Amino acid sequence: MIRKTFIALLMLVAVGSQAQTPIYLDSTKDIETRVEDALSRMTLNEKIAVIHAQSKFSSPGVKRLGFPDFWTDDGPHGVRPDVLWDEWEQAGQTNDSCVAFPALTCLAATWNPAMAKNYGRSLGEEALYRGKGMILGPGVNIYRSPLNGRNFEYMGEDPLLASRMVVPYVQGLQSTGVAACVKHYALNNSEEFRHQVNVVVSDRALHEIYLPAFKAAVQEGGAWAIMGAYNLYKDQHNCHNEIMLNKILKGDWGFDGVVVSDWGGAHDTDEAVKYGLDMEFGTWTDGLAMGKTNAYDSYYLADAYKQAIVEGKYTTRELDEKVRRVLRLFFRTTMREGKGHGFLCSEAHYDVAREVAEEGIVLLKNAAVKPAKRGKAVPVLPIDVSKAKKILVVGENAIKMMTVGGGSSSLKAQKEISPLDGLRQLCAQLNADCVVDYARGYVGDTTGEYNGVTTGQNLKDDRQPAELIAEAVAKAKEADCVVFFGGLNKSDFQDCEGHDRKEYALPYDQDSVVEALAAANPRLVYVNISGNAVGMPWKDRVPAIVQGWFLGSESGEALARVLTGQANPSGKLPFTWTVALNDVGAHALDAWHGTWREGGKIIDEEYKEGLYVGYRWADKQQTKPLFAFGHGLSYTTFRLSDLRLSASDMAADGKLTFTVNVKNTGTRDGAEVVQLYIHDAESSVDRPYKELKGFQKVALKAGESRDVNIDIDVTALSFYDETAQAWKAEAGVFEALVGNAADNLPLKAKFTLNEN
């Protein structure tokens, strides 16, 4: 009833006493008809207004026609707390706390598209409740180097994995009537000097590695918005770039949504008008730095653009096309009927956060260790709490809140369960006699504030490193098991927007703590909290290693359930974990952070490794990673067998089905990921030895077996032909490689792609 009254009032505002409903308010009409009708009614001032911001996170609607203001917000991992209208300070609201979902590296590590859809839908419901029309995410830039400070917000190194995970995320989010704004398009693979980097990359690497996830988000996910990147490509900033935006995105891919500038990413009126930008945000602020106050009419697409139209420099053709896209966005979001009200901090959202966290945690290593007394050697994990009298937890990351910090994805979470608290709570339920003790081990970053949100934690500890290690070692000698929570945090030069990491090694001399604990107690578990790989010189001396990511609100509960076996880990790495930094192509070829041009304003960064990112480089150089792409263990065991093909040859317009039998040969229920890679045996161009072209996650009860099917078509066999500027598949012999990690592909079968 309230909504009907509101619509009636809008109609009165729009058309006075006219009885007939204007076409743009008639929900029975298709969106394009409504867009054209609304456009025809708008003044020049109204058109200019809707294509740029009016505050830090909003743009105006069209009040005269009944279009409400359009509010967007950061957060691929949760809805960012509101800031003041014209300042980067918190608005001081008490109703903008949220569920913090796991970082996107963790989501990618689930290798489960169904989890991505649940994640997107839950985030959309929270955004809807908060009155947001668009969420600035997800991010799908490729993991090119483990030093990139923003890798934790992205979906790993492989374009196929990122593509298959981003599509359901976008669909889930937009099913709530909230737009996804997929970012940062494109080639935004480092944070240092991000406004000055001009990326030099081959057309093949661009189309085969760095664009597929964006393309999938647009053509399969139906993304309603794309955010341009800060960096340059072919000497044009990516927020107004002729090739990236006009040719590829809007032309080749048929994108009908809105291109949004990253905050401070627009640089010139003429380029913004001509080269694909539709909505401008953040100009004069240089990202998060305070600039001119209330400068919104001074934006490149504001008064300067309007004055140029009045003076005849431009017609309204380009303007009308931008406004059409914005109106289309309005009708899909703020003007969409029946989208509901959303939910904030619901039990269902916390359940999704925990499920994603549990499925994304990766068991990297789990060696058997003999007990102190006589007996058979058994794996360190899961921890048998029923028999344990004392478990020692060590490390700052066991107690430090990780939802605050890291840049624009920083959140004001309603709750965040720390790893220490999660383990204590669960162990108390499982065995009241089990004591979970704690030792600090090291002191890292004791601050806990970002952009006005504070953790409220006091982590100050003035003891010297030797004292902290001595305490941890003494306690470790008396414990049944030691769990060290280390890794990175979300401070500058770690996993954080704006800067890249300075080194591959763990910060705060954590290696010394790990070495000392390994010598003190053989039953040591190292849990790495990060969005990036780190150096592990002690890997062979630590029996159990877990990748714990940034897991959000349910971090402690999810980690505790996996460590104690209440949940069986099934995560797989979404990137290659190298032994050393020089095992990464960008670093081996001295192609990281590029070279300053004369004058010191632009850095030319050549992607010398081309196609050879991650496991592709490892294959080319025949280097053995610390942990391979796709690697992840379980508390049960699986056997993959009986690879079958639906045919021995494939037509160019046909499909091929690969069938594999998967059996859970262990004693616990669990899930395995079947991974299909394709090797081109006789290509006319240089190609990586293998490339991921399909995967399927399957949950099996102990002893259960099931056939898993993976389909491919000719696109899985294609490469980007730089001469023809098109995708091409060559007839000939290919080989399917099937297994459960990039370095464990025991099943093989050859097949032929026929001539036309």
Side-chain angles (χ1 to χ4, degrees):
M1 184 65 187
I2 294 175
R3 180 163 184 81
K4 289 181 179 179
T5 303
F6 178 67
I7 293 294
L9 288 172
L10 292 182
M11 291 168 58
L12 287 173
V13 169
V15 296
S17 60
Q18 294 180 18
Q20 186 176 2
T21 302
I23 292 174
Y24 75 91
L25 284 178
D26 186 351
S27 61
T28 65
K29 303 292 185 183
D30 66 89
I31 284 182
E32 297 309 309
T33 300
R34 299 172 74 187
V35 164
E36 292 303 321
D37 182 60
L39 180 67
S40 70
R41 298 169 186 268
M42 292 174 66
T43 66
L44 176 61
N45 284 341
E46 289 169 339
K47 290 177 181 180
I48 290 291
V50 300
I51 64 170
H52 68 83
Q54 65 175 357
S55 74
K56 292 298 184 188
F57 280 99
S58 74
S59 64
V62 188
K63 296 176 178 60
R64 184 177 62 85
L65 300 181
F67 290 86
D69 290 347
F70 187 79
W71 285 88
T72 184
D73 211 343
D74 274 312
H77 311 140
V79 188
R80 183 177 177 170
D82 288 323
V83 298
L84 295 172
W85 185 267
D86 193 47
E87 296 179 31
W88 287 108
E89 289 300 321
Q90 296 304 298
Q93 296 180 0
T94 58
N95 64 344
D96 59 351
S97 296
C98 68
V99 173
F101 296 93
L104 292 190
T105 41
C106 175
L107 177 62
T110 68
W111 289 60
N112 187 347
M115 280 287 102
K117 191 161 192 176
N118 292 342
Y119 188 121
R121 183 178 61 251
S122 299
L123 176 58
E125 289 171 349
E126 300 237 331
L128 190 61
Y129 186 89
R130 290 270 305 280
K132 310 302 179 184
M134 180 165 69
I135 285 293
L136 306 179
V140 289
N141 291 107
I142 292 296
Y143 186 108
R144 181 176 176 242
S145 162
L147 297 191
N148 181 9
R150 214 163 179 181
N151 277 336
F152 72 99
E153 291 188 32
Y154 301 143
M155 294 187 180
E157 72 183 33
D158 186 79
L160 186 278
L161 175 62
S163 296
R164 299 283 61 80
M165 296 302 290
V166 72
V167 167
Y169 179 115
V170 169
Q171 292 171 337
L173 177 60
Q174 294 186 167
S175 70
T176 67
V178 175
C181 185
V182 185
K183 61 185 187 182
H184 304 88
Y185 179 77
L187 301 166
N188 189 176
N189 306 109
S190 65
E191 286 297 292
E192 214 69 47
F193 314 116
R194 59 186 178 172
H195 293 272
Q196 289 108 334
V197 170
N198 177 59
V199 174
V200 181
V201 63
S202 71
D203 284 349
R204 278 195 66 196
L206 175 67
H207 285 273
E208 292 186 29
I209 302 296
Y210 297 100
L211 293 186
F214 289 103
K215 183 178 182 181
V218 168
Q219 294 192 330
E220 299 177 56
W224 295 335
I226 293 285
M227 180 187 289
Y230 282 133
N231 53 284
L232 299 88
Y233 171 69
K234 293 191 180 296
D235 286 329
Q236 286 186 333
H237 283 93
N238 278 349
C239 286
H240 32 69
N241 188 292
E242 170 64 16
I243 295 175
M244 282 290 184
L245 300 178
N246 285 344
K247 181 185 182 301
I248 297 175
L249 178 65
K250 294 181 176 180
D252 298 344
W253 298 352
F255 176 63
D256 70 353
V258 170
V259 173
V260 178
S261 73
D262 202 343
W263 271 232
H267 299 270
D268 179 84
T269 294
D270 192 57
E271 291 195 5
V273 170
K274 295 178 179 178
Y275 301 142
L277 181 61
D278 299 313
M279 294 183 80
E280 180 184 2
F281 283 87
T283 302
W284 295 93
T285 61
D286 295 326
L288 292 181
M290 186 62 185
K292 186 175 179 181
T293 301
N294 286 308
Y296 305 105
D297 288 337
S298 300
Y299 277 21
Y300 297 109
L301 289 181
D303 283 352
Y305 185 19
K306 181 175 71 173
Q307 187 62 31
I309 291 175
V310 171
E311 293 172 355
K313 182 177 181 180
Y314 308 109
T315 69
T316 58
R317 182 177 61 85
E318 295 93 349
L319 175 61
D320 285 351
E321 177 55 26
K322 297 177 193 299
V323 176
R324 282 188 183 94
R325 292 174 179 271
V326 173
L327 289 172
R328 198 175 289 133
L329 180 66
F330 288 172
F331 283 121
R332 287 167 168 169
T333 58
T334 56
M335 296 294 285
R336 175 174 170 172
E337 291 190 8
K339 63 178 180 289
H341 303 287
F343 303 91
L344 189 65
C345 299
S346 70
E347 294 88 345
H349 294 170
Y350 282 113
D351 288 344
V352 168
R354 190 193 71 254
E355 290 164 4
V356 171
E358 288 179 7
E359 277 210 34
I361 292 170
V362 184
L363 179 59
L364 296 173
K365 180 182 177 182
N366 193 22
V369 174
K370 288 185 177 181
K373 299 179 182 179
R374 285 187 300 176
K376 181 181 177 182
V378 295
V380 173
L381 291 174
I383 301 168
D384 189 348
V385 178
S386 66
K387 296 179 181 178
K389 294 181 179 179
K390 180 179 288 188
I391 298 171
L392 176 65
V393 171
V394 182
E396 182 174 284
N397 280 1
I399 59 174
K400 183 178 176 63
M401 286 182 64
M402 295 293 187
T403 54
V404 175
S408 60
S409 62
S410 179
L411 298 171
K412 184 165 76 176
Q414 184 190 52
K415 69 172 182 177
E416 179 181 348
I417 303 172
S418 72
L420 177 60
D421 286 344
L423 203 53
R424 279 178 169 166
Q425 291 167 14
L426 186 56
C427 287
Q429 296 172 18
L430 299 174
N431 180 3
D433 295 327
C434 178
V435 175
V436 179
D437 199 4
Y438 176 72
R440 182 68 173 264
Y442 70 95
V443 176
D445 183 358
T446 60
T447 63
E449 186 273 339
Y450 183 83
N451 198 205
V453 174
T454 60
T455 64
Q457 290 184 303
N458 181 5
L459 299 179
K460 185 177 180 181
D461 194 321
D462 294 326
R463 288 178 291 172
Q464 295 299 307
E467 292 180 80
L468 295 167
I469 292 176
E471 177 196 42
V473 166
K475 290 186 174 184
K477 290 179 178 178
E478 303 299 320
D480 298 304
C481 178
V482 179
V483 185
F484 179 86
F485 289 91
L488 308 177
N489 56 43
K490 291 186 177 178
S491 303
D492 283 346
F493 302 103
Q494 295 202 46
D495 280 328
C496 185
E497 178 184 0
H499 294 286
D500 293 326
R501 297 167 62 194
K502 294 183 176 181
E503 59 184 0
Y504 192 48
L506 285 169
Y508 316 125
D509 196 24
Q510 293 177 64
D511 289 340
S512 295
V513 186
V514 176
E515 297 274 10
L517 291 173
N521 191 318
R523 301 189 67 80
L524 173 62
V525 180
Y526 173 77
V527 181
N528 190 67
I529 305 296
S530 77
N532 265 310
V534 298
M536 292 184 176
W538 33 259
K539 179 233 181 185
D540 292 339
R541 294 182 293 281
V542 176
I545 302 175
V546 173
Q547 175 58 17
W549 312 112
F550 297 115
L551 298 180
S553 289
E554 296 289 339
S555 174
E557 183 174 352
L559 284 165
R561 283 174 51 79
V562 168
L563 292 172
T564 62
Q566 307 307 299
N568 194 348
S570 63
K572 302 283 186 176
L573 284 178
F575 53 72
T576 302
W577 198 305
T578 59
V579 175
L581 198 56
N582 269 353
D583 292 338
V584 177
H587 296 278
L589 298 175
D590 193 25
W592 179 246
H593 284 170
T595 305
W596 287 98
R597 286 186 194 172
E598 186 176 351
K601 293 184 179 180
I602 297 293
I603 298 174
D604 287 311
E605 184 172 340
E606 183 180 358
Y607 286 22
K608 296 178 183 178
E609 71 279 12
L611 303 170
Y612 293 97
V613 176
Y615 67 86
R616 292 166 170 82
W617 178 261
D619 286 344
K620 182 180 178 68
Q621 300 301 114
Q622 297 184 347
T623 57
K624 183 176 176 58
L626 202 66
F627 303 107
F629 172 79
H631 170 76
L633 305 176
S634 172
Y635 296 148
T636 189
T637 54
F638 298 94
R639 183 179 67 239
L640 276 60
S641 63
D642 194 18
L643 173 60
R644 289 151 281 158
L645 282 65
S646 58
S648 60
D649 55 10
M650 176 179 172
D653 59 352
K655 292 186 177 181
L656 200 59
T657 299
F658 299 86
T659 302
V660 180
N661 183 262
V662 185
K663 183 173 183 178
N664 183 339
T665 56
T667 58
R668 291 174 177 260
D669 298 349
E672 180 61 291
V673 179
V674 180
Q675 301 169 35
L676 167 69
Y677 298 77
I678 298 294
H679 165 63
D680 188 346
E682 46 187 51
S683 176
S684 66
V685 297
D686 181 43
R687 301 191 74 171
Y689 178 77
K690 66 175 183 284
E691 295 179 288
L692 181 71
K693 294 301 178 181
F695 62 89
Q696 183 73 43
K697 192 166 194 174
V698 55
L700 298 171
K701 296 187 178 299
E704 182 184 4
S705 66
R706 189 183 310 163
D707 280 350
V708 171
N709 296 323
I710 299 176
D711 297 327
I712 67 166
D713 59 23
V714 73
T715 59
L717 311 180
S718 303
F719 62 88
Y720 189 78
D721 186 330
E722 292 184 323
T723 301
Q725 294 286 289
W727 289 89
K728 180 179 181 180
E730 294 178 329
V733 177
F734 293 82
E735 187 174 26
L737 311 171
V738 178
N740 62 2
D743 65 346
N744 186 34
L745 303 168
L747 305 180
K748 298 177 174 62
K750 291 184 178 180
F751 63 96
T752 302
L753 176 64
N754 294 329
E755 296 289 347
N756 291 334

